Amino acid sequence: MERKHYLDQLRAFLMFLGIPYHAGMIYSANIDWIVFSVETSFILTWVFQFTHTFRMPAFMIISGFFAMLMIGKQGEGVWLKSRFIRLSVPLISVALLVNPWQMLAGAIADHGLPNAWQDWLARLSSPGGHWIEQLWFLGDLLIYSSLLALGWRYGGRLRLGRVSDRVLDLIGRDWKSAALALILAGSGVVGAATIGSMLDVNILFSGMVQSIRTVAFAPFFVLGAALAYRPDWLERFTTIHLPSWCAAAVACLILTLVEPRGEPVSKAASYFLTPIAGILSAHVLLCVARRWFNRSTDLTRKMVEASMVVYLFHMMFVCWFGLAFTYVEWPVLVEFVAIVVAAMVASFCVHAVVSRSETLKFLFNGVIRGGRSGGPSLTPRLQGGR
């Protein structure tokens, strides 16, 4: 069957987009990141806050699509085992071997080189989100994959197939039903965040697990699975619809404005808009990718192959290059471009080394000797029962 190259290429592009996104955070006017500059940039702050509204939602939708496709071909047991190896091995490897150097850069940024060592040792000896950082999505994908495998295995006994078909029939009936589903998804995230706050479970394990984020991104993974479950949905979702594009632009703009604000009303609006803006903008991205990027070339194949390792390592380089530029006084945009280019080149160099070692490919790509690192071939419909 014909491979849908645009999904591979869009997924790689979204991972590469993490480099300018994290480099832009160094100059953010809204937050103090791992490494931060005293010089901030209004342009970088809002441009990359805007990209935050669509980058990971689209990535999660593509991940859900591949997940449903492959579980239907391989069965839940074989597929889940391969998912755990592919996701958990790089998660653990980068957390233990790479992220400590990000912590050191952060310690130097906070306290200066002479006083950084004590703070670095404190970070190394304590649990927290600093061990995860850019890896959070791997943990969430492990959760979603486990739930999908459980649903696939026990769905027949619980009649989940019939229920799913009826729900999907209702959602796909017309644009009004789809709009209502978006509103319900946003309301569900707000409700989950409210309940999580009341039960004090939004932040767990010293920040290593953020349950509200896991809930907020779940609709994207579910939609991706639905696009594979209903092949006609993928056709409709990747067909240009200008009113939806306009709605996506408005939703992403509003989310960009309200997300950094800390008051309860803004937080509620942010939770509500996250699935709406994410799904609508993913529709735009997949349409564009299908229309103009559905052809494989040597360059795109290399980018797809390198995307995982580049993403896993890029933030360490962004932190250290960003730290170096805090000691010079170049124009902000010049520094930003230099950090992005340097981090990109350094990350590709790491990929070149990793690709030549079976051990390193296992540690940082979860690829067992003889396995493939590319995405699965895509077929127009699932094999396996509903």
Side-chain angles (χ1 to χ4, degrees):
M1 297 294 177
E2 181 182 0
R3 188 183 183 95
K4 291 179 171 58
H5 297 288
Y6 69 92
L7 291 178
D8 286 328
Q9 294 178 25
L10 179 57
R11 180 171 58 179
F13 168 76
L14 295 170
M15 299 185 83
F16 283 117
L17 192 58
I19 299 178
Y21 171 72
H22 289 124
M25 291 181 71
I26 297 173
Y27 304 96
S28 174
N30 294 328
I31 61 172
D32 287 339
W33 194 54
I34 302 171
V35 173
F36 55 90
S37 172
V38 295
E39 298 292 332
T40 60
S41 169
F42 176 85
I43 294 175
L44 293 179
T45 297
W46 293 107
V47 166
F48 291 105
Q49 184 66 36
F50 185 80
T51 67
H52 182 64
T53 65
F54 64 78
R55 186 173 65 90
M56 291 310 297
F59 179 87
M60 287 294 185
I61 287 173
I62 297 172
S63 297
F65 181 90
F66 282 122
M68 178 59 80
L69 183 80
M70 296 310 296
I71 199 173
K73 293 175 65 175
Q74 297 178 347
E76 71 281 354
V78 173
W79 174 77
L80 187 59
K81 179 181 178 180
S82 69
R83 282 297 85 192
F84 263 85
I85 294 173
R86 193 67 182 274
L87 298 175
S88 63
V89 172
L91 171 61
I92 296 171
S93 298
V94 175
L96 296 179
L97 301 176
V98 179
N99 283 3
W101 304 108
Q102 294 173 191
M103 301 179 206
L104 178 58
I108 296 173
D110 288 342
H111 303 285
L113 185 57
N115 304 311
W117 306 110
Q118 186 175 356
D119 180 70
W120 185 44
L121 292 175
R123 299 184 192 203
L124 292 175
S125 61
S126 62
H130 51 276
W131 287 98
I132 303 300
E133 292 294 353
Q134 78 276 25
L135 309 175
W136 64 268
F137 75 100
L138 295 177
D140 283 358
L141 286 176
L142 285 171
I143 294 173
Y144 303 149
S145 298
S146 299
L147 293 175
L148 179 62
L150 286 173
W152 191 268
R153 169 165 290 187
Y154 299 108
R157 301 179 190 178
L158 302 176
R159 297 185 179 180
L160 293 181
R162 293 183 181 180
V163 173
S164 298
D165 283 335
R166 290 176 182 175
V167 171
L168 294 178
D169 286 340
L170 289 174
I171 295 174
R173 187 168 52 187
D174 51 41
W175 72 268
K176 294 179 181 179
S177 300
L180 178 59
L182 286 177
I183 294 173
L184 291 176
S187 301
V189 173
V190 173
T194 302
I195 294 172
S197 296
M198 294 174 60
L199 299 177
D200 194 24
V201 294
N202 278 344
I203 305 295
L204 302 173
F205 303 108
S206 302
M208 296 183 72
V209 176
Q210 298 184 25
S211 58
I212 181 55
R213 183 175 60 193
T214 303
V215 172
F217 279 90
F220 308 124
F221 188 87
V222 171
L223 174 59
L227 295 177
Y229 192 69
R230 292 285 184 91
D232 60 303
W233 275 34
L234 181 64
E235 178 68 26
R236 293 162 61 186
F237 195 74
T238 55
T239 299
I240 296 174
H241 185 246
L242 292 181
S244 298
W245 286 36
C246 294
V250 172
C252 289
L253 179 60
I254 296 174
L255 181 57
T256 299
L257 296 175
V258 302
E259 191 170 28
R261 304 172 67 89
E263 57 266 26
V265 173
S266 296
K267 284 187 176 181
S270 175
Y271 292 143
F272 178 74
L273 286 171
T274 292
I276 297 174
I279 290 172
L280 289 173
S281 59
H283 157 65
V284 175
L285 289 173
L286 265 70
C287 286
V288 170
R290 181 187 178 191
R291 175 65 177 82
W292 286 287
F293 299 98
N294 196 22
R295 185 172 65 90
S296 179
T297 66
D298 289 340
L299 176 61
T300 59
R301 283 192 292 271
K302 290 178 181 178
M303 291 181 63
V304 169
E305 180 183 346
S307 59
M308 181 64 167
V309 170
V310 168
Y311 184 85
L312 294 179
F313 279 86
H314 82 275
M315 211 159 91
M316 177 184 68
F317 294 119
V318 167
C319 287
W320 280 100
F321 288 127
L323 180 63
F325 276 107
T326 62
Y327 293 96
V328 300
E329 295 183 359
W330 290 6
V332 167
L333 293 181
V334 174
E335 292 184 7
F336 166 77
V337 172
I339 292 170
V340 171
V341 172
M344 181 79 74
V345 171
S347 299
F348 264 101
C349 289
V350 172
H351 163 69
V353 174
V354 169
S355 65
R356 287 167 170 76
S357 167
E358 296 294 338
T359 300
L360 293 179
K361 282 195 288 187
F362 174 70
L363 290 176
F364 299 113
N365 255 324
V367 176
I368 301 175
R369 185 179 182 86
R372 295 177 57 188
S373 60
S377 297
L378 303 183
T379 54
R381 67 176 61 251
L382 288 172
Q383 303 298 321
R386 290 184 175 179

